């Protein structure tokens, strides 16, 4: 397949959307970017970026295991990251203080993933797409699963928005006010686990920061109001995903490379103009 | 002990994690509505434990404590709390009014993005502690004294009848300490709230205080500052000879309390 890029963007998009795999990639990518942008804000606010990365790598074992069983890897991702997320939530109030425990678990999970993937005959390609994302290969079923998981994440996030934001900002006072900090911590970790699982489809296990952390970290520098920062975070994630998909249609390089690069450049620029 | 106006009554109160090794024991005191009370004592004496008890976050080993006539209950909306440690640091880029707003409605499910009423309440509360100009500033950009004002507003926004302030004066210079104590005292008198304030140094507070709860050596002494801050009372409390000295401006120093090498 070779389609030349023209200056007429509209014509280009029409061209791109003639391909079903590109339609699916845009659908899933859009939904994932919205979810990752929103949950990412809470990840950054709670300083849980290491936990996000850890859950992602724990997900690798799940994905590799389900591939071995011949099931859609997203189910393995959801299962492993959710159990891992609840575990991290129960470990301690602030996940950042638990980096040794979390690090040890994630190394074990990665090792398990390597074993599963080596038992599978399609070794190299499967490992590659889990680690670095394979959004161009997402099926209709995959899009529907992604959409369903996203709607659940968004509904739960909307419901717990205020208690979660307050307890992330001032946990001690929230606890004294009678809020259930442990339960909120578990809800947050499960939300993060689900968001990580669907985001892995786009950027892969190793590049999860690109959607779950960097857009929100950029946005937090640009607005002091949570709702604006969340909106900016979503817009950055969407922009990077769309542009990444668009370029990768014309260039033979991985989508995740473009997504990561766009997000990183924006982060650098904002860091430069808005040092905190 | 205990009258109609008493909002806190403690009788034979013993707290700690094990019965064998209580943090402090047999405390008896009562605090009336609108009183300004300092909780004083050396590091690790159990001052924060007193707050955890009042908040219902910890249960006594023995004895009774009543807050507003009832056993302390976690999440009592009549209490406003400013903890010593906060999650907020200099990387928290969220404007102050958002924190105060969340302290008002953060325990509710769902979201309410642009409630004018909530915003007004948050702004008014910040104004009442002289922090109007801080409302739209980022929490991470504030100085220690400014942050304490915002935390005070955070505690006051739900109109509590009692304030628990854990070390709000820590790390403030003399001028900022004086300013903040002035603001707190204004709040106590104008809103008729009962305030407990944990502090290391009693001097900036002493002229405003109705009561002192002095915790040391596993024991608790309470009374007016004049009653408690005497060589005799504190020697009995510490179980060793200490002396309370006063300078020409009535600042007090407790000598011999934290340094036992000369015994």
């Amino acid at each position: 397949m070779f389609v030349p890029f023209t200056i007429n963007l509209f014509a280009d998009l029409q061209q791109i959307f003639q391909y079903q795999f590109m339609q699916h990639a845009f659908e899933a990518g859009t939904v994932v970017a919205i979810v990752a942008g929103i949950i990412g804000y809470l990840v950054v606010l709670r300083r849980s970026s290491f936990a996000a990365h850890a859950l992602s790598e724990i997900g690798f074992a799940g994905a590799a295991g389900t591939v071995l069983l011949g099931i859609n890897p997203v189910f393995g991702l959801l299962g492993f990251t959710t159990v891992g997320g609840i575990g991290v939530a129960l470990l301690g109030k602030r996940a950042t203080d638990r980096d040794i425990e979390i690090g040890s678990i994630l190394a074990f999970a990665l090792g398990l993933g390597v074993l599963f993937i080596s038992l599978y005959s399609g070794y190299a390609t499967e490992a590659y797409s889990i680690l670095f994302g394979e959004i161009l290969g997402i099926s209709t079923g995959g899009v529907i699963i992604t959409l369903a998981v996203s709607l659940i994440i968004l509904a739960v996030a909307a419901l717990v928005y205020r208690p979660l934001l307050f307890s992330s900002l001032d946990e001690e006072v929230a606890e004294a006010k009678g809020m259930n900090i442990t339960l909120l911590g578990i809800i947050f970790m499960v939300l993060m686990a689900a968001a990580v699982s669907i985001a892995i489809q786009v950027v892969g296990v190793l590049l999860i920061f690109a959607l779950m952390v960097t857009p929100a970290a950029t946005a937090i520098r640009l607005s002091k109001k949570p709702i604006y920062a969340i909106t900016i975070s979503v817009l950055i994630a969407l922009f990077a995903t769309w542009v990444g998909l668009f370029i990768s249609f014309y260039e033979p390089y991985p989508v995740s490379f473009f997504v990561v690069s766009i997000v990183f450049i924006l982060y650098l620029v904002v860091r430069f103009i808005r040092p905190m | 002990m205990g009258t109609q106006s008493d909002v806190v009554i403690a009788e034979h109160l013993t707290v700690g994690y094990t019965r064998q090794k209580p943090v402090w024991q047999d405390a008896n005191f009562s605090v009336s509505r609108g009183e300004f009370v300092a909780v004083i004592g050396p590091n690790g004496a159990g001052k924060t434990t007193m707050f955890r008890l009042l908040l219902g976050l910890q249960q006594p080993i023995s004895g009774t404590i009543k807050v507003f006539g009832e056993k302390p209950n976690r999440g009592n909306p009549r209490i406003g709390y400013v903890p010593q440690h906060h999650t907020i640091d200099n990387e928290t880029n969220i404007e102050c009014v958002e924190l105060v707003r969340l302290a008002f409605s953060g325990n509710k499910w769902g979201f309410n993005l642009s409630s004018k009423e909530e915003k007004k309440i948050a702004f008014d509360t910040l104004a009442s502690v002289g922090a109007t100009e801080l409302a739209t500033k980022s929490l991470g950009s504030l100085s220690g004294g400014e942050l304490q004002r915002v935390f005070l507003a955070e505690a006051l926004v739900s109109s509590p009848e009692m304030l628990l302030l854990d070390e709000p004066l820590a790390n403030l210079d003399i001028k900022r300490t004086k300013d903040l104590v002035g603001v707190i005292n204004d709040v106590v008198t104008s809103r008729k709230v009962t305030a407990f304030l944990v502090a290391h140094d009693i001097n900036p507070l002493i002229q405003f205080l109705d009561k002192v709860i002095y915790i040391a050596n596993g024991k608790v002494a309470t009374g007016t500052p004049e009653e408690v801050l005497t060589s005799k009372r504190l020697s009995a409390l510490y179980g060793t000879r200490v002396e309370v000295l006063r300078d020409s401006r009535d600042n007090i120093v407790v000598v011999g309390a934290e340094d036992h090498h000369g015994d």
Side-chain angles (χ1 to χ4, degrees), chain A residues 41 45 47 94 158-163 166 169-173 175-179 220 224-227, chain B residues 74-75 81 83 85-89 93-95 102-103 105-106 108-113 118 136 138 154:
Chain A
Y41 180 78
L45 195 64
R47 311 279 152 80
R94 286 192 82 66
L159 185 67
V160 299
Y161 175 74
R162 278 190 286 184
F166 185 52
L169 208 52
D170 204 341
E171 193 171 79
E172 289 80 2
V173 174
E175 187 186 16
K177 277 184 183 286
M179 291 158 75
I220 266 179
K224 292 178 284 191
K225 291 185 202 294
I227 200 65
Chain B
R74 194 165 80 93
Y81 173 47
H85 301 289
H86 287 263
T87 323
I88 291 157
D89 62 18
N93 190 31
I94 289 184
E95 60 181 25
L102 280 168
S105 63
K108 296 193 181 74
W109 299 116
F111 52 90
N112 188 358
L113 296 181
E118 263 181 35
T136 54
S138 160
E154 184 192 0

